[in-house]
Amino acid sequence: MDRPPVPGILIEGHEYSGKSTLARGVADVLRHRGLTVRASHGTLTRDPLVRSLLDDALTVFAGAEHHEFRHPRTWRRFNSRRSAQLVLDTELFRELEPRPGEILVQDRYWLPQYAFNQYFTPAEGYLSEAWIASRVPTFAVQVYLTCEAETRRRRAATRDGAGAKHPLNAFLRRHLDEVAGLDRFTTGLVEHSAQWLVLRSDRLSPQEMTDAVLRRFDARPAARPAEPVAAGAGTERRSTG
């Protein structure tokens, strides 16, 4: 193994599965323990080109809210751009030296996009299994959240006043019943893997999910437990190796 697991927690799931709520809960508890936590959403790095590529991918769905769920051209355009962004983000992240003592809580990374690719455009081969095996960093704890369509609809309804976060979110909000099938497909990709903890966010409270994730985190194989680090210790730097 050329790189140890990322000292942190990856939380994946499709729209309205409860990712952000769980990420906040986990990060809050770890900070309360006196640990240094970096919370990140969507991308592993803050590189401007990575952000630009992500924004470009999301704009594919601008004005596409009324397209059918499996609209081939729309998904091909989005998946190609988003996959390219993930490849760059991953390579830049691998060049970074970890900050000593820092725990990364990552709210969404690669799994939903891999599912999009396999579900909507499998023939194109975006984000191959070989790429995942050789380049995607494994986190100490990896979580996938799933829930029933009715729960997604209820959560979406409570956020109607806030509007969609971005064009893809607006598109998926209009197709929550179809998202249920995508969610079942994605669950099937990871539910039998020892590397993933699959949780039902419609059957567990946020506190119960936080407790389950932290039990897995605390039980992870490690040379020594994470220790509190003074604020600001360590700087982001590139590896020369």
Side-chain angles (χ1 to χ4, degrees):
M1 187 173 186
D2 65 342
R3 184 172 177 139
V6 175
I9 298 166
L10 171 62
I11 300 170
E12 299 274 36
H14 291 291
E15 301 300 294
Y16 307 108
S17 59
K19 300 181 301 299
S20 297
T21 299
L22 178 58
R24 285 193 298 270
V26 167
D28 286 347
V29 172
L30 292 173
R31 289 188 179 110
H32 185 71
R33 293 179 180 182
L35 302 175
T36 298
V37 177
R38 179 166 73 87
S40 179
H41 180 271
T43 62
L44 295 174
T45 69
R46 300 185 179 119
D47 187 88
L49 180 55
V50 169
R51 185 67 238 184
S52 177
L53 287 171
L54 177 57
D55 290 342
D56 182 59
L58 293 173
T59 59
V60 166
F61 282 93
E65 293 90 345
H66 298 282
H67 286 183
E68 62 185 87
F69 188 55
R70 287 180 174 268
H71 194 272
R73 184 171 180 271
T74 300
W75 280 108
R76 192 174 297 111
R77 291 179 63 217
F78 174 78
N79 287 348
S80 61
R81 289 161 173 76
R82 177 76 163 107
S83 297
Q85 176 262 311
L86 273 168
V87 170
L88 176 61
D89 189 36
T90 296
E91 292 306 314
L92 292 176
F93 181 77
R94 290 176 64 92
E95 294 175 6
L96 296 174
E97 290 282 3
R99 292 178 175 180
E102 182 180 78
I103 298 170
L104 174 59
V105 177
Q106 181 68 33
D107 176 356
R108 196 161 185 155
Y109 170 31
W110 66 272
L111 181 61
Q113 184 54 48
Y114 177 73
F116 287 159
N117 293 349
Q118 294 297 306
Y119 196 74
F120 296 109
T121 58
E124 279 71 7
Y126 305 135
L127 304 183
S128 68
E129 291 184 10
W131 175 77
I132 293 169
S134 65
R135 306 308 296 167
V136 171
T138 301
F139 281 66
V141 176
Q142 302 186 140
V143 184
Y144 180 73
L145 298 184
T146 180
C147 63
E148 294 292 341
E150 179 56 37
T151 299
R152 292 182 202 275
R153 285 193 292 270
R154 186 173 63 252
R155 290 170 178 167
T158 64
R159 303 180 200 177
D160 278 344
K165 293 179 291 185
H166 47 67
L168 174 59
N169 177 249
F171 175 82
L172 294 174
R173 283 176 72 161
R174 292 186 62 87
H175 296 279
L176 290 179
D177 287 338
E178 290 101 329
V179 169
L182 174 63
D183 178 45
R184 288 191 294 271
F185 174 82
T186 311
T187 301
L189 297 175
V190 297
E191 63 182 342
H192 300 300
S193 171
Q195 293 185 340
W196 288 89
L197 173 64
V198 178
L199 298 175
R200 292 289 305 262
S201 67
D202 52 355
R203 298 181 182 176
L204 298 170
S205 69
Q207 185 61 58
E208 288 172 328
M209 290 193 295
T210 297
D211 292 345
V213 170
L214 291 174
R215 280 195 299 271
R216 176 73 68 97
F217 184 73
D218 291 339
R220 73 198 185 283
R224 58 186 175 85
E227 298 174 352
V229 175
T235 57
E236 187 174 87
R237 55 195 185 277
R238 301 281 177 177
S239 169
T240 57

